[in-house]
Amino acid sequence: HLRIHVEQPMDPSPTATTNEQQQQSQQLPYQAGDIATILPSNPAHLVSRFLSVLPHSIQSIADTPIRIQQRKQKSHSNFQESSLNHPWPERCTLRGLLTHCADIQSLPEREDLYSLNVYCNQNHPQGKDQRDKLISLSETSGAALYGDYIIREKRNWVDLFYDFDAVRWEGSGTSGDVALMTISHLLTMLPSITPRHFSIASSPSYMVRQTAALESKEGFDVELCVAVVDHILERNGAVYIAGGSKMARAVREEIVEALGSVLEGGEGDAKKLLNKLKRKGMFSIEAWS
């Protein structure tokens, strides 16, 4: 279990006149069966490294406030609003977006590699070779190559841009010697950070008493259930999930994602592993609505 502190004043209501009213005013904003959702961020050194492997034209505006506008995309016969398929903020800096919004630590999908090939500058000494390699990695026939390069080596977006430096190639500014990728292209490609869902392992009533004991402390503590991957893979442990259906579904998805990040076959192998554990009675979900 991991205990975290949530900053939130819990002052009793001044109009509370009975013990029952005071207890109600001090109730924590969660109940048994709820989940806690945490939005992670990228470390500053990783963001700086990613910026260093982008075209200089993008690097130079890393700390300049930018405005991201929605654009209309055509869907069948109608136009509909879309914010580049990502929940990017309307106003931010690129550094801030890469820190708090873009999942640059994730593993690029094969379609991402294909999308990147068009930005390989052909004036780069290895521009054509890098473009062809990205295409090969993205094809169905190159699944084994993709598995070795991305999955097995766990190469993320930072590693990808570092390896394929033809994407950031910029010369003297003559035709063909400027970077083909713009910040708009970059934000269209990058995936957004997925919120992490954790089962709350602490009792609300117990944590109210614990928090109230610390008079100078504003907010409340909550204990989360974590380290499931190590429990399953290293300790051959069993997992039992009980609670509300929303919580159970979110926790299972989080376990699949966590296992998929370390297993060679990704989330596909993670689901197979959970099904195997289920048949052995080592993975069970008891949920109610």
Side-chain angles (χ1 to χ4, degrees):
H1 291 177
L2 173 69
R3 177 177 292 193
I4 63 173
H5 182 68
V6 181
E7 294 291 341
Q8 177 176 321
M10 294 183 59
D11 297 330
S13 170
T15 60
T17 58
T18 67
N19 290 337
E20 181 180 356
Q21 289 175 319
Q22 289 179 355
Q23 290 176 357
Q24 290 177 350
S25 67
Q26 290 180 329
Q27 289 298 309
L28 295 180
Y30 72 90
Q31 299 176 347
D34 285 351
I35 61 173
T37 300
I38 297 177
L39 187 66
S41 59
N42 297 306
H45 69 86
L46 188 68
V47 172
S48 295
R49 181 169 177 248
F50 186 56
L51 286 169
S52 71
V53 295
L54 294 177
H56 183 266
S57 55
I58 299 179
Q59 292 182 37
S60 62
I61 59 172
D63 298 301
T64 302
I66 58 175
R67 181 177 181 180
I68 302 175
Q69 294 181 322
Q70 291 185 339
R71 71 181 184 186
K72 292 182 178 180
Q73 289 187 330
K74 191 172 183 180
S75 175
H76 302 294
S77 59
N78 299 320
F79 284 97
Q80 54 184 327
E81 291 293 325
S82 169
S83 56
L84 302 179
N85 299 319
H86 295 296
W88 302 141
E90 292 186 1
R91 296 179 183 274
C92 62
T93 63
L94 178 60
R95 188 184 301 275
L97 185 146
L98 294 176
T99 301
H100 301 290
C101 304
D103 194 0
I104 58 177
Q105 298 188 65
S106 65
L107 307 184
E109 303 287 344
R110 286 192 297 182
E111 54 265 31
D112 297 324
L113 303 184
Y114 183 81
S115 298
L116 190 63
N117 91 84
V118 299
Y119 302 110
C120 289
N121 196 310
Q122 298 302 289
N123 284 355
H124 183 277
Q126 286 83 43
K128 184 178 183 304
D129 292 339
Q130 291 187 14
R131 182 196 64 186
D132 293 344
K133 184 177 181 179
L134 285 169
I135 294 175
S136 298
L137 287 167
S138 67
E139 294 175 341
T140 304
S141 58
L145 183 61
Y146 170 81
D148 289 338
Y149 178 72
I150 296 291
I151 304 299
R152 189 184 302 275
E153 298 298 328
K154 294 181 173 57
R155 283 188 170 91
N156 56 31
W157 284 87
V158 183
D159 301 320
L160 181 65
F161 273 75
Y162 176 82
D163 290 346
F164 292 88
D165 58 343
V167 174
R168 62 177 181 273
W169 175 258
E170 290 178 314
S172 60
T174 58
S175 178
D177 273 348
V178 295
L180 302 178
M181 174 173 282
T182 66
I183 189 171
S184 295
H185 298 144
L186 177 66
L187 298 186
T188 302
M189 294 183 62
L190 292 177
S192 57
I193 293 178
T194 303
R196 273 48 170 178
H197 305 289
F198 296 93
S199 176
I200 299 178
S202 53
S203 165
S205 59
Y206 172 77
M207 298 311 294
V208 165
R209 294 194 298 271
Q210 292 294 305
T211 303
L214 302 175
E215 297 180 357
S216 62
K217 194 174 185 180
E218 288 191 344
F220 59 92
D221 287 347
V222 61
E223 290 184 352
L224 307 181
C225 184
V226 297
V228 177
V229 172
D230 180 68
H231 176 69
I232 293 176
L233 299 181
E234 302 297 330
R235 303 178 184 178
N236 196 31
V239 177
Y240 302 100
I241 304 172
S245 57
K246 179 181 178 181
M247 178 277 295
R249 181 170 58 254
V251 172
R252 184 186 185 280
E253 291 175 353
E254 200 63 36
I255 293 175
V256 169
E257 181 180 346
L259 288 171
S261 67
V262 298
L263 294 176
E264 182 176 339
E267 293 189 3
D269 278 4
K271 293 177 181 178
K272 292 179 182 177
L273 175 59
L274 292 186
N275 288 334
K276 181 179 178 180
L277 293 175
K278 183 177 180 180
R279 292 192 296 269
K280 296 170 64 176
M282 297 178 64
F283 181 76
S284 176
I285 297 178
E286 182 180 351
W288 54 85
S289 58

